[in-house]
Amino acid sequence: MKAVVSLNAGSSSIKFALFTLDDPSVPLLAASGKIEKIGIEPSLRAQSAAGSVLVERTWPGGADLTHADLLKDLFAWAIDHLGDREVVAIGHRVVHGGTQFAAPALVDDALLAELETLCPLAPLHQPHNLAAIRAVRSLRPHLPQVACFDTAFHHGKPEVASRMALPREFHDRGVRRYGFHGLSYEYIAAELGRIAPDLAAGRVIAAHLGNGASLCAMANGQSIDTTMGFTALDGLMMGTRCGSLDPGVVLYLQSELGLSVSEVEDLLYRRSGLLGVSGISSDMRTLSANESQAAAEAIELFVWKAAREFGAMTASLQGVDALVFTAGIGENHAGVRNGICKRLEWLGVRLDDRANEANDFRISAPESQVAVLVIPTDEERMIAMHTIAALNRMAG
Ligand code: ADP
């Protein structure tokens, strides 16, 4: 009996999910959870598929514990929890696969070296994704690991949606619009295909609104445009990232205000977005509960920028049949969904307020010309599916 583990390692957290493969075509969730506050005071929490808490643990005074140290403890717990099921592979979310990787890939030295060169393109994520792969390698050198790329889903999008208006040589050197959140969009496309195949076959704009946020324009389940570009900074306003920005601002920050490259990076990735505009928090829930004008302005800008990008994605698709909201804000925040959809009434979008407040699957009113849906994403399951497929390819 077998199991696979999905890992999604960030700077201060590691999300994980354990899937058993008693029926290999339908991975069954055995546990999921998160190690948080790495570098401060790490804590681990895992729950069963039904939501009951399986383990809660903190490491008081554990600020020095590395991702590798904590993964070792997580493995010990997971092996114990899985009993006689053997972990046969680990799948990782890897944010950037560059121009080369259009599909998940088995990890080896050459792959790791290649992915390392992409760290400057995703400084918030890539180094941590790779650190987790290395940590698992040192713990279990022979365990197959599969890198699942957030960029891969967007690989087939039209050339025009990949090109930037820079001299050609830069495109040839990889300065392109890649797009991210691909594991989430791939899952949404598959779920929509299962639940509402007519809509999935049409023109759909999916909105992944979490700490990171983007939109994806999908035609017949394929990405044809997306708001993130060369890096995960572009497009929508996010928790701490600015989203699309006049590139002249970056020049001004450096040449006139004297900010160094790393200060600009810190500003755009970690101090902007909801946090920067509100001056209060990067967390949408916290801001919604705050009565200050700055919090209201931050939410207003988030909604305004999102609605504007919905317009752009609609143009890329030449119309739209369905909108899908997903991730922390998209799945739970009726006010943000309402704000965005109000700004899209010119498209014929009408919400059913009661269904929206209840986070129902279909939140559009019967008279709406565009279906509006809420579908919880599951990147960990997508990683598990890719990992199993890679193992099957390996087996021949
Ligand atoms: P990540 O990108 O880190 O995976 P999530 O998808 O968990 O992020 O989204 C985090 C965002 O979702 C935060 O801004 C948080 O406030 C918001 N969020 C999560 N749950 C809720 C909720 N029940 N109501 C409103 N907002 C929520």
Side-chain angles (χ1 to χ4, degrees):
M1 297 223 269
K2 294 175 178 171
V4 294
V5 178
S6 297
L7 289 181
N8 179 354
S11 58
S12 64
S13 73
I14 302 172
K15 290 186 193 163
F16 61 88
L18 318 181
F19 293 89
T20 54
L21 306 182
D22 301 0
D23 171 357
S25 60
V26 191
L28 202 67
L29 182 66
S32 63
K34 205 176 189 182
I35 299 177
E36 285 183 294
K37 296 194 185 164
I38 301 173
I40 307 166
E41 184 170 291
S43 62
L44 159 69
R45 186 187 158 94
Q47 60 270 335
S48 70
S52 61
V53 177
L54 298 170
V55 59
E56 266 182 318
R57 173 174 177 193
T58 53
W59 286 263
D64 293 342
L65 292 171
T66 63
H67 285 58
D69 297 330
L70 295 162
L71 276 172
K72 194 171 169 191
D73 286 357
L74 175 64
F75 266 41
W77 175 79
I79 287 166
D80 195 37
H81 180 71
L82 287 165
D84 58 357
R85 290 187 178 85
E86 180 201 358
V87 175
V88 289
I90 309 267
H92 294 263
R93 175 188 184 203
V94 175
V95 161
H96 218 306
T99 51
Q100 203 178 330
F101 299 105
L106 212 57
V107 171
D108 59 17
D109 289 338
L111 180 89
L112 266 178
E114 183 73 31
L115 296 181
E116 195 71 51
T117 66
L118 299 169
C119 284
L121 308 195
L124 224 51
H125 301 98
Q126 192 90 344
H128 308 294
N129 304 155
L130 302 187
I133 295 180
R134 277 199 212 84
V136 173
R137 278 191 126 196
S138 64
L139 287 170
R140 298 284 204 90
H142 302 297
L143 188 63
Q145 299 195 71
V146 179
C148 304
F149 304 105
D150 259 331
T151 45
F153 184 66
H154 304 291
H155 245 258
K157 71 185 185 313
E159 173 83 8
V160 69
S162 300
R163 206 170 258 288
M164 294 193 221
L166 290 171
R168 304 188 74 82
E169 71 216 58
F170 291 96
H171 180 83
D172 298 340
R173 286 165 62 177
V175 184
R176 304 175 184 193
R177 301 188 61 242
Y178 292 95
F180 299 88
H181 288 140
L183 294 162
S184 177
Y185 292 130
E186 192 178 3
Y187 178 81
I188 295 295
E191 274 297 280
L192 197 62
R194 198 174 60 76
I195 309 167
D198 291 356
L199 290 176
R203 299 161 298 181
V204 176
I205 303 174
H208 180 109
L209 308 180
N211 281 316
S214 71
L215 305 183
C216 179
M218 298 190 283
N220 195 18
Q222 309 291 311
S223 169
I224 66 140
D225 197 3
T226 186
T227 56
M228 280 180 172
F230 179 57
T231 67
L233 268 186
D234 203 3
L236 306 190
M237 177 175 173
M238 304 177 217
T240 62
R241 287 171 254 166
C242 56
S244 56
L245 185 77
D246 175 351
V249 171
V250 177
L251 301 177
Y252 179 81
L253 292 172
Q254 292 180 297
S255 64
E256 296 302 314
L257 301 188
L259 270 67
S260 68
V261 172
S262 63
E263 284 168 335
V264 172
E265 179 184 297
D266 188 49
L267 178 69
L268 304 186
Y269 276 99
R270 298 181 188 88
R271 298 203 287 123
S272 295
L274 292 170
L275 174 65
V277 175
S278 69
I280 297 166
S281 172
S282 63
D283 190 278
M284 186 59 94
R285 233 181 322 185
T286 306
L287 292 181
S288 303
N290 188 294
E291 288 179 358
S292 71
Q293 185 171 346
E297 281 174 3
I299 299 172
E300 183 188 17
L301 184 58
F302 181 93
V303 166
W304 183 84
K305 276 175 87 81
R308 195 167 179 249
E309 295 289 340
F310 266 106
M313 293 299 110
T314 304
S316 287
L317 284 167
Q318 296 287 290
V320 61
D321 303 307
L323 313 178
V324 180
F325 286 95
T326 195
I329 299 169
E331 290 165 27
N332 300 298
H333 203 302
V336 166
R337 290 193 303 254
N338 183 56
I340 293 172
C341 289
K342 276 270 175 316
R343 286 192 160 270
L344 299 177
E345 285 193 345
W346 60 276
L347 274 173
V349 173
R350 297 285 183 280
L351 281 192
D352 173 333
D353 291 335
R354 192 210 52 78
N356 185 39
E357 288 296 331
N359 299 325
D360 281 355
F361 165 64
R362 187 182 286 262
I363 60 171
S364 45
E367 72 273 19
S368 185
Q369 289 167 40
V370 179
V372 186
L373 311 174
V374 176
I375 302 182
T377 194
D378 194 345
E379 290 156 295
E380 281 73 27
R381 177 170 294 275
M382 208 63 238
I383 293 169
M385 309 271 278
H386 281 309
T387 303
I388 295 161
L391 283 182
N392 289 341
R393 283 197 298 277
M394 246 171 76

